[in-house]
Amino acid sequence: MTETQLNGAAVGSGPVPGQRTGARSADLHAKLDERAREIVARYPADRSRSALLPLLHLVQSEEGYVSPAGVEFCADVLGLNKAQVGAVATFYTMYKRRPTGDWLVSVCTNTMCNVLGGQQVYDALTEHLGVGHDETTTDGSITLEHAECLAACDYGPVMTVNYDFFDQVDPDSAVGVVDELRAGNRPQPSRGARLCTLKEMSLQLAGFSDPRQEAVADGVPGDPTLRGLRLAQQHGISVAGYDPNTPIKGRDTGDAPAPATTRPAAATGSTAPDVKAPDDKSPQVRTAETRAPDAKTPAPDAPGAKTPVDGVP
């Protein structure tokens, strides 16, 4: 497939110009229907729309982004309209709405990382790669973005590649990582398993294991993560009454699980009896009918309503 230009950034995937969305959607059905059915089967029959999130990841694992044809595919599988699927796809930032490179490089530029040099890292990558936020390099390999927070302030400034962490980066080390990626290598993240491409990662997020030997590996914890544990050990701090030599009981050891404790339901003071609603009613409707089954029965917190004491009705 020839590269096309999108906002000045080259992309090497996506629908062929002029190809109808319906035709591309049919291609997706041919490729993804079996796995789509497996995803939908994970959920109760009347809750199939819960499969939308992994289905979007499945589409992204094939297309490299959630394409218009992918939106149509998800809508067809779940019996939704495209507006409903699009609303979900545009809400979560992990779903990309235009062709994305194999390597999504995110640099945290929020307060803590910014103070430590995150903006300088992002600026260096922008100049080196020749792209800005949410743009892809001319070879289609790397998409750059600045992130508001990557939830790793104690390792700042941080950069992620397909959401795997590279900690305490500086402009030189960040440029070195992207140069390795463009050379076809997969540098080892600071923490976690080896890198996966965006499509490989999306397939795992859809709930399918990656057969590659290097896809899953034991990562190493970082020193800031272990700091609290080491201080506790240094000062002899432990949980009161905790014996680390006590084995954890479970089914594998033949020990019976501890009996479940039951707590009496708290009295609500409601004057409305419980109403058994059909399964197809939403939780909001069920709650409303339980609180006030008809117009003549006031809700307990309605103005002027009196809460009766227990006794003979």
Side-chain angles (χ1 to χ4, degrees):
M1 184 181 298
T2 60
E3 290 187 343
T4 58
Q5 295 296 121
L6 178 63
N7 292 339
V11 295
S13 61
V16 176
Q19 184 180 25
R20 294 190 305 108
T21 301
R24 182 59 188 159
S25 179
D27 292 341
L28 290 179
H29 275 286
K31 295 177 180 178
L32 303 178
D33 265 352
E34 183 176 350
R35 278 180 163 166
R37 286 194 298 269
E38 184 176 336
I39 290 174
V40 174
R42 299 171 190 165
Y43 300 89
D46 59 341
R47 297 292 184 268
S48 61
R49 67 182 300 165
S50 298
L52 179 55
L53 297 184
L55 279 176
L56 288 169
H57 284 301
L58 181 65
V59 166
Q60 191 159 271
S61 74
E62 176 65 29
E63 300 277 83
Y65 72 116
V66 179
S67 62
V71 170
E72 183 175 330
F73 168 80
C74 293
D76 290 344
V77 170
L78 298 178
L80 303 174
N81 60 53
K82 290 185 286 187
Q84 291 172 308
V85 176
V88 174
T90 55
F91 182 82
Y92 296 101
T93 58
M94 291 184 76
Y95 301 122
K96 301 306 176 185
R97 296 309 310 275
R98 58 182 180 178
T100 302
D102 286 336
W103 310 108
L104 175 67
V105 176
S106 311
V107 181
C108 182
T109 55
N110 210 331
T111 305
M112 182 60 71
C113 283
N114 202 6
V115 168
L116 296 172
Q119 187 64 48
Q120 288 89 332
V121 171
Y122 177 79
D123 291 342
L125 290 177
T126 297
E127 182 177 356
H128 183 70
L129 297 174
V131 295
H133 171 65
D134 202 25
E135 293 181 351
T136 303
T137 55
T138 54
D139 59 3
S141 63
I142 294 178
T143 298
L144 179 66
E145 68 177 6
H146 68 78
E148 283 302 315
C149 182
L150 294 176
C153 298
D154 44 354
Y155 295 97
V158 292
M159 176 180 79
T160 62
V161 177
N162 291 341
Y163 308 113
D164 278 319
F165 282 98
F166 289 83
D167 301 329
Q168 296 171 336
V169 292
D170 56 35
D172 291 335
S173 63
V175 167
V177 169
V178 298
D179 281 346
E180 279 198 64
L181 294 172
R182 299 183 83 177
N185 301 320
R186 300 194 182 198
Q188 180 68 34
S190 302
R191 294 170 284 131
R194 300 183 187 182
L195 291 180
C196 298
T197 66
L198 183 74
K199 290 183 177 181
E200 292 165 348
M201 177 197 69
S202 297
L203 186 62
Q204 293 182 50
L205 291 175
F208 299 95
S209 61
D210 192 325
R212 296 177 307 118
Q213 183 178 0
E214 69 274 14
V216 179
D218 291 332
V220 295
D223 287 336
T225 301
L226 298 176
R227 181 60 176 161
L229 176 62
R230 289 170 177 163
L231 284 173
Q233 293 173 338
Q234 178 182 348
H235 296 283
I237 301 172
S238 62
V239 178
Y242 171 69
D243 182 1
N245 297 318
T246 301
I248 299 176
K249 296 181 179 181
R251 294 179 180 178
D252 294 339
T253 61
D255 297 316
T261 57
T262 58
R263 300 175 60 186
T268 62
S270 174
T271 59
D274 290 337
V275 177
K276 185 177 180 180
D279 290 340
D280 59 345
K281 292 187 178 179
S282 69
Q284 292 86 351
V285 172
R286 295 178 190 175
T287 301
E289 290 184 345
T290 300
R291 287 168 54 87
D294 55 55
K296 297 179 181 179
T297 307
D301 54 355
K306 295 181 180 180
T307 302
V309 297
D310 292 339
V312 179

